[in-house]
mmCIF file of all heavy atoms in Angstrom:
data_model
loop_
_atom_site.group_PDB
_atom_site.id
_atom_site.type_symbol
_atom_site.label_atom_id
_atom_site.label_comp_id
_atom_site.label_asym_id
_atom_site.label_seq_id
_atom_site.Cartn_x
_atom_site.Cartn_y
_atom_site.Cartn_z
ATOM 1 N N GLY A 11 3.873 7.517 17.516
ATOM 2 C CA GLY A 11 3.795 6.124 17.084
ATOM 3 C C GLY A 11 2.471 5.496 17.460
ATOM 4 O O GLY A 11 1.551 6.176 17.911
ATOM 5 N N CYS A 12 2.381 4.187 17.297
ATOM 6 C CA CYS A 12 1.179 3.428 17.626
ATOM 7 C C CYS A 12 0.783 3.672 19.080
ATOM 8 O O CYS A 12 1.630 3.667 19.973
ATOM 9 C CB CYS A 12 1.453 1.946 17.402
ATOM 10 S SG CYS A 12 0.171 0.864 18.060
ATOM 11 N N MET A 13 -0.499 3.906 19.328
ATOM 12 C CA MET A 13 -0.943 4.237 20.696
ATOM 13 C C MET A 13 -0.802 3.047 21.650
ATOM 14 O O MET A 13 -0.810 3.231 22.861
ATOM 15 C CB MET A 13 -2.374 4.771 20.716
ATOM 16 C CG MET A 13 -3.398 3.849 20.112
ATOM 17 S SD MET A 13 -5.085 4.213 20.659
ATOM 18 C CE MET A 13 -5.099 5.946 20.718
ATOM 19 N N PHE A 14 -0.642 1.857 21.108
ATOM 20 C CA PHE A 14 -0.417 0.702 21.983
ATOM 21 C C PHE A 14 1.073 0.354 22.088
ATOM 22 O O PHE A 14 1.626 0.305 23.168
ATOM 23 C CB PHE A 14 -1.230 -0.498 21.492
ATOM 24 C CG PHE A 14 -0.876 -1.785 22.184
ATOM 25 C CD1 PHE A 14 -0.900 -1.892 23.571
ATOM 26 C CD2 PHE A 14 -0.513 -2.905 21.440
ATOM 27 C CE1 PHE A 14 -0.563 -3.083 24.210
ATOM 28 C CE2 PHE A 14 -0.173 -4.102 22.078
ATOM 29 C CZ PHE A 14 -0.203 -4.187 23.462
ATOM 30 N N CYS A 15 1.738 0.140 20.932
ATOM 31 C CA CYS A 15 3.088 -0.428 20.988
ATOM 32 C C CYS A 15 4.180 0.556 20.561
ATOM 33 O O CYS A 15 5.355 0.196 20.557
ATOM 34 C CB CYS A 15 3.154 -1.695 20.147
ATOM 35 S SG CYS A 15 3.188 -1.397 18.370
ATOM 36 N N ALA A 16 3.789 1.791 20.194
ATOM 37 C CA ALA A 16 4.740 2.876 19.887
ATOM 38 C C ALA A 16 5.540 2.692 18.591
ATOM 39 O O ALA A 16 6.399 3.505 18.275
ATOM 40 C CB ALA A 16 5.681 3.139 21.068
ATOM 41 N N THR A 17 5.239 1.679 17.819
ATOM 42 C CA THR A 17 5.885 1.517 16.511
ATOM 43 C C THR A 17 5.479 2.697 15.615
ATOM 44 O O THR A 17 4.305 3.087 15.620
ATOM 45 C CB THR A 17 5.401 0.196 15.856
ATOM 46 O OG1 THR A 17 5.718 -0.873 16.742
ATOM 47 C CG2 THR A 17 6.051 -0.049 14.501
ATOM 48 N N LEU A 19 3.931 4.863 12.804
ATOM 49 C CA LEU A 19 2.801 4.542 11.916
ATOM 50 C C LEU A 19 3.160 4.945 10.496
ATOM 51 O O LEU A 19 3.417 6.110 10.226
ATOM 52 C CB LEU A 19 1.547 5.283 12.391
ATOM 53 C CG LEU A 19 1.032 4.886 13.773
ATOM 54 C CD1 LEU A 19 -0.098 5.822 14.211
ATOM 55 C CD2 LEU A 19 0.558 3.439 13.788
ATOM 56 N N VAL A 54 -2.813 1.937 10.075
ATOM 57 C CA VAL A 54 -2.760 0.618 10.702
ATOM 58 C C VAL A 54 -1.314 0.372 11.132
ATOM 59 O O VAL A 54 -0.379 0.674 10.391
ATOM 60 C CB VAL A 54 -3.293 -0.493 9.760
ATOM 61 C CG1 VAL A 54 -2.545 -0.557 8.439
ATOM 62 C CG2 VAL A 54 -3.250 -1.858 10.459
ATOM 63 N N CYS A 55 -1.153 -0.128 12.353
ATOM 64 C CA CYS A 55 0.196 -0.390 12.882
ATOM 65 C C CYS A 55 0.728 -1.698 12.281
ATOM 66 O O CYS A 55 0.055 -2.717 12.319
ATOM 67 C CB CYS A 55 0.146 -0.489 14.403
ATOM 68 S SG CYS A 55 1.707 -1.019 15.134
ATOM 69 N N GLU A 56 1.942 -1.628 11.762
ATOM 70 C CA GLU A 56 2.494 -2.810 11.081
ATOM 71 C C GLU A 56 2.920 -3.896 12.054
ATOM 72 O O GLU A 56 3.155 -5.026 11.668
ATOM 73 C CB GLU A 56 3.705 -2.384 10.230
ATOM 74 C CG GLU A 56 4.874 -1.877 11.063
ATOM 75 C CD GLU A 56 5.867 -1.063 10.233
ATOM 76 O OE1 GLU A 56 5.457 -0.020 9.670
ATOM 77 O OE2 GLU A 56 7.033 -1.471 10.165
ATOM 78 N N LYS A 57 2.975 -3.557 13.344
ATOM 79 C CA LYS A 57 3.431 -4.563 14.313
ATOM 80 C C LYS A 57 2.253 -5.220 15.055
ATOM 81 O O LYS A 57 2.165 -6.438 15.111
ATOM 82 C CB LYS A 57 4.376 -3.904 15.314
ATOM 83 C CG LYS A 57 4.946 -4.885 16.320
ATOM 84 C CD LYS A 57 6.216 -4.385 16.984
ATOM 85 C CE LYS A 57 6.647 -5.332 18.097
ATOM 86 N NZ LYS A 57 6.634 -4.657 19.410
ATOM 87 N N CYS A 58 1.331 -4.385 15.605
ATOM 88 C CA CYS A 58 0.235 -4.966 16.404
ATOM 89 C C CYS A 58 -1.102 -4.929 15.657
ATOM 90 O O CYS A 58 -2.086 -5.430 16.151
ATOM 91 C CB CYS A 58 0.126 -4.253 17.749
ATOM 92 S SG CYS A 58 -0.535 -2.581 17.636
ATOM 93 N N PHE A 59 -1.132 -4.295 14.482
ATOM 94 C CA PHE A 59 -2.320 -4.216 13.626
ATOM 95 C C PHE A 59 -3.488 -3.479 14.283
ATOM 96 O O PHE A 59 -4.645 -3.707 13.956
ATOM 97 C CB PHE A 59 -2.741 -5.612 13.123
ATOM 98 C CG PHE A 59 -1.642 -6.258 12.349
ATOM 99 C CD1 PHE A 59 -0.809 -7.201 12.949
ATOM 100 C CD2 PHE A 59 -1.385 -5.883 11.047
ATOM 101 C CE1 PHE A 59 0.249 -7.759 12.251
ATOM 102 C CE2 PHE A 59 -0.330 -6.436 10.333
ATOM 103 C CZ PHE A 59 0.490 -7.376 10.939
ATOM 104 N N LEU A 60 -3.163 -2.596 15.211
ATOM 105 C CA LEU A 60 -4.196 -1.724 15.751
ATOM 106 C C LEU A 60 -4.456 -0.621 14.717
ATOM 107 O O LEU A 60 -3.530 0.045 14.266
ATOM 108 C CB LEU A 60 -3.744 -1.111 17.085
ATOM 109 C CG LEU A 60 -4.747 -0.188 17.763
ATOM 110 C CD1 LEU A 60 -6.029 -0.944 18.131
ATOM 111 C CD2 LEU A 60 -4.153 0.436 19.021
ATOM 112 N N GLN A 62 -5.886 2.935 13.858
ATOM 113 C CA GLN A 62 -5.983 4.097 14.748
ATOM 114 C C GLN A 62 -5.816 5.419 14.001
ATOM 115 O O GLN A 62 -5.202 5.501 12.952
ATOM 116 C CB GLN A 62 -4.899 4.006 15.813
ATOM 117 C CG GLN A 62 -3.494 3.915 15.220
ATOM 118 C CD GLN A 62 -2.496 3.369 16.233
ATOM 119 O OE1 GLN A 62 -2.175 4.038 17.194
ATOM 120 N NE2 GLN A 62 -2.029 2.152 16.006
HETATM 121 ZN ZN1 LIG B 501 1.173 -1.100 17.360
#
Side-chain angles (χ1 to χ4, degrees):
C12 169
M13 57 160 38
F14 170 54
C15 75
T17 302
L19 296 172
V54 57
C55 173
E56 65 198 61
K57 182 160 173 242
C58 72
F59 301 99
L60 181 62
Q62 57 199 290

